[in-house]
Amino acid sequence: MSNLPIEGLERTIKYTFKDKNIILTALTHSSYANEQKARKAVCQCNERLEFLGDSVLSLVVSEYIYDKYKDKPEGDLTKIRASVVCSRSLASLANEINLGSYLLLGKGEEETGRTNPKILENAFEALLAAIYLDSNHSKKRVSEFLLPIIEKEIAFASKDEMAYDYKTTLQQFVQAMGTEKLQYICVKETGPDHAKTFEVEVKLSSNVIGKGIGKTKREAEQNAAKEALALFDVK
C-alpha cells in the first residue's frame, strides 16, 4: 500500500501531504481493504473520510454561494448547492484530476471501478477530508483546491435558465415514447484546464439527436438536450 505513487496527484491538486497515510486511506476502496484484512493485514478504507468530506464539501460550497449570490433567497441557494454536490458533478471533478488512476481497488473492482461514478464520488469526498485533516482543519486550504475546479459548475447552476431542465424534459419525453435510454457522450474538449470548452452529443438508439457546447460538461449536455427537444418539436 505504501508504494502507491501519489506524487502525481499531489502535483495536480497542488497540495503535498505531511501525513502520507491519510491520503493513502482516502484512496483505499473498501474492496481493497477487505482483501487486505482477509490476509490479516491492517488496512482502513476511505468510508469514514468520505463521511467527513461530505460535510466539508457542503460547508465550503455553502459559504461560497452565500457570499457570492447575496441577492438570492435560501431556496435558490439550496438548489445551486444540490446541483454542484450531486454524484454526477463530483464524479466529473474526480475525472478532472484523474483520481481514478490512483485508487486502491480490490480485484473485483479493477475492471470498472476506476470509472465508476459512485466510487469516484466517494473518493473525491474522502480526498477533501484528507486535505482538511492534514492541513490542521483548514477550510481555507480545502477551498484553494476545490473552488477553482467547481466554480464553473456553480456559475452554470446559478443561471436563470437552470430553472428549465432540458435533460429531464427530454428524458421524460423519451420514456413516454417507450424507446431506449439516452446516452450523453463528450466528443471534444478544447482549451486550457482553467477555461475548457466541452462538446457533447446526445444519442438515442445510436443516433445523434442533439449536440451542445458549454463551459462545463453539464452545460453542454443541457444544450444538447435542448437541441434534441427542438428536433422533436417539444416545448
Side-chain angles (χ1 to χ4, degrees):
M1 180 171 175
S2 60
N3 293 326
L4 187 67
I6 62 168
E7 294 82 5
L9 177 61
E10 290 179 323
R11 285 194 296 271
T12 299
I13 67 176
K14 297 180 174 62
Y15 183 83
T16 301
F17 286 87
K18 297 181 284 293
D19 181 359
K20 303 302 182 184
N21 287 326
I22 197 167
I23 180 57
L24 292 174
T25 300
L27 298 171
T28 302
H29 187 252
S30 58
S31 60
Y32 181 90
N34 290 335
E35 285 184 0
Q36 299 306 304
K37 288 174 183 176
R39 301 187 183 104
K40 310 299 183 184
V42 178
C43 184
Q44 289 185 330
C45 73
N46 62 11
E47 290 176 353
R48 281 175 54 82
L49 285 173
E50 172 205 337
F51 166 79
L52 177 60
D54 178 70
S55 296
V56 173
L57 168 70
S58 182
L59 179 58
V60 170
V61 171
S62 295
E63 284 195 358
Y64 177 81
I65 61 178
Y66 178 84
D67 290 337
K68 185 173 180 64
Y69 302 108
K70 299 182 184 301
D71 59 330
K72 291 188 181 295
E74 178 270 342
D76 288 350
L77 297 179
T78 298
K79 289 178 182 177
I80 294 171
R81 182 180 61 193
S83 178
V84 298
V85 302
C86 67
S87 296
R88 180 212 56 80
S89 177
L90 298 183
S92 177
L93 294 176
N95 280 322
E96 271 195 48
I97 62 173
N98 199 26
L99 189 59
S101 66
Y102 296 98
L103 298 181
L104 288 165
L105 302 171
K107 289 184 175 61
E109 296 290 351
E110 271 293 350
E111 186 174 349
T112 60
R114 299 188 188 282
T115 58
N116 183 306
K118 187 61 179 175
I119 290 177
L120 290 174
E121 171 200 356
N122 294 344
F124 188 81
E125 289 178 335
L127 173 63
L128 296 180
I131 295 173
Y132 177 71
L133 293 175
D134 190 70
S135 61
N136 195 25
H137 298 189
S138 171
K139 183 162 53 63
K140 178 176 181 292
R141 192 61 193 84
V142 176
S143 299
E144 288 172 353
F145 157 63
L146 178 62
L147 292 179
I149 64 174
I150 204 173
E151 281 176 327
K152 289 187 293 184
E153 289 280 350
I154 293 173
F156 177 62
S158 71
K159 292 181 180 178
D160 291 339
E161 54 261 37
M162 274 296 293
Y164 191 87
D165 188 344
Y166 296 104
K167 285 183 67 176
T168 298
T169 302
L170 179 61
Q171 184 65 46
Q172 291 170 343
F173 173 74
V174 168
Q175 288 175 343
M177 291 170 55
T179 52
E180 296 180 23
K181 192 167 76 170
L182 293 165
Q183 185 180 18
Y184 290 87
I185 301 172
C186 183
V187 295
K188 190 176 182 181
E189 295 183 19
T190 56
D193 288 341
H194 68 280
K196 278 186 178 294
T197 297
F198 300 90
E199 183 176 336
V200 167
E201 293 179 347
V202 56
K203 290 187 174 183
L204 181 64
S205 303
S206 75
N207 296 314
V208 177
I209 59 173
K211 296 182 180 180
I213 295 175
K215 294 299 182 183
T216 68
K217 287 182 181 177
R218 180 168 186 183
E219 182 179 13
E221 289 172 357
Q222 286 283 352
N223 288 332
K226 182 178 181 181
E227 185 175 280
L229 288 169
L231 175 68
F232 292 117
D233 197 27
V234 178
K235 304 298 184 183

